[in-house]
Amino acid sequence: MEQAPGIMQFLLIIAVAPLVSGLITKIKNTVRMRRGAPVLQPYNNFFKLLGKNDEVVSEHASWLFQITPYAVISSSAAALLLVPLFGGAAAAGGMGDIVAVMFILALGRFFMALAGMDAAGAFGGMGSSREMFISSLAEPAALVSFFVLALNAGSTSFAAITGNGAFSASSLTAGFSLFIVAIAETSRIPVDNQETHLELTMVHEAMALEYSGRALALIEYASHIRQMVWFSLIAAVIFPLTRTAGCGAALAAAAAAAFAVKVFALAVIMAFTEVSMAKMRLFRVADLLMFAFVAALASAVLAAGGY
């Protein structure tokens, strides 16, 4: 029963994950002076796809193609269990660890890349190769940033990183690097464009192009959860809050409100980033992620200097 509040937080974040994606789209349309789709459109898409029974599967697809949607959504949910949520605590308690979260997220990406090639489609293989290229550049920046935060806290545990309420120049720089990595990991502009199926620009959508119906519904919901994983990580490490002793409805409500404000701020920043930038060419993405890596190294220098 001690884990009951954490499990409730986890289920709540799972439920509102598509809402954050809808909010980002709504902000983008508002800035562009367009009416656009309603905020709840991701839920409508999910239930519409979930109700379809006429899935079309390539004759070349194997069992790997069939299990990938479940592996992807399971890995995203498992990573969310380990990251800090309300009040800086993870749903799984003190089990949250930087290395474990990175491994679990990479596991989902691994299955998705294999499934992209498994259907023997030209676009799937292209998307898988692009996804692996981008990930190979994003992961070093993420790892260095996380280890800087671990160096500040003296532990790789998220409970230690978010529990002391410390705010420093190195954590801010590492958070900036993580935000760029989050753009790549969540398939956002300028790295990827979720709103297009143009063959020259597709990355994640190319891997999911062979999916339809319920399988596509699971993959899209997994992307919403994955986005919440990164938003929760950034919100927890850039603006850590000092934990208050005790419990109660008022304390839980305050922690939930603070978490919601931080996620809303990140959604606004993400929306304005997408509106103000254009989709980069693939090889320009390497420059962006190298910049994130340099920022992560700068945060390491600041951390070594005690800043």
Side-chain angles (χ1 to χ4, degrees):
M1 296 298 292
E2 294 180 359
Q3 299 299 326
I7 297 300
M8 291 179 62
Q9 293 178 30
F10 168 74
L11 295 176
L12 180 61
I13 297 299
I14 291 281
V16 303
L19 181 64
V20 175
S21 298
L23 179 64
I24 293 174
T25 304
K26 190 66 178 178
I27 294 172
K28 288 164 55 181
N29 287 326
T30 302
V31 173
R32 291 167 175 164
M33 301 182 71
R34 297 175 181 170
R35 183 173 182 179
V39 176
L40 299 180
Q41 186 61 41
Y43 291 101
N44 297 334
N45 294 341
F46 174 72
F47 288 113
K48 181 179 69 177
L49 291 171
L50 205 62
K52 289 184 177 294
N53 297 317
D54 54 344
E55 293 183 29
V56 179
V57 180
S58 168
E59 61 180 2
H60 303 289
S62 69
W63 58 269
L64 184 65
F65 186 84
Q66 301 285 353
I67 68 167
T68 290
Y70 302 97
V72 171
I73 197 168
S74 299
S75 63
S76 299
L80 187 63
L81 273 173
L82 300 179
V83 302
L85 300 175
F86 303 169
M95 295 173 60
D97 187 274
I98 290 170
V99 179
V101 170
M102 291 297 294
F103 174 78
I104 293 171
L105 290 176
L107 185 64
R109 187 185 308 115
F110 172 73
F111 271 95
M112 199 66 217
L114 288 181
M117 296 183 290
D118 190 57
F123 292 144
M126 178 192 69
S128 298
S129 64
R130 289 178 175 179
E131 178 78 3
M132 291 298 102
F133 172 71
I134 293 172
S135 298
S136 65
L137 297 172
E139 286 183 358
L143 285 172
V144 173
S145 300
F146 281 137
F147 284 126
V148 166
L149 298 168
L151 180 65
N152 289 339
S155 171
T156 59
S157 168
F158 284 123
I161 292 173
T162 62
N164 57 13
F167 180 82
S168 62
S170 59
S171 65
L172 181 63
T173 311
F176 174 72
S177 175
L178 286 177
F179 181 77
I180 297 176
V181 173
I183 291 174
E185 293 285 341
T186 57
S187 306
R188 290 286 180 183
I189 295 173
V191 175
D192 195 2
N193 187 358
Q194 298 179 342
E195 299 174 357
T196 182
H197 286 86
L198 184 64
E199 61 186 75
L200 293 177
T201 60
M202 284 192 298
V203 181
H204 180 81
E205 293 298 319
M207 294 189 295
L209 203 59
E210 295 288 340
Y211 283 103
S212 59
R214 294 177 180 176
L216 182 59
L218 293 178
I219 289 174
E220 289 192 352
Y221 209 104
S223 68
H224 299 316
I225 299 173
R226 191 182 185 91
Q227 178 175 262
M228 286 302 297
V229 169
W230 281 100
F231 279 14
S232 301
L233 282 172
I234 296 171
V237 300
I238 297 183
F239 306 109
L241 299 176
T242 304
R243 293 179 191 172
T244 306
C247 58
L251 190 61
F259 180 81
V261 168
K262 290 190 287 187
V263 170
F264 178 76
L266 286 169
V268 171
I269 294 171
M270 186 67 80
F272 274 86
T273 301
E274 289 203 348
V275 169
S276 60
M277 300 186 72
K279 168 76 175 65
M280 289 182 173
R281 293 175 56 202
L282 184 62
F283 292 106
R284 290 289 306 279
V285 173
D287 297 337
L288 178 68
L289 294 175
M290 283 303 296
F291 177 68
F293 183 67
V294 171
L297 291 178
S299 69
V301 173
L302 289 171
Y307 297 100

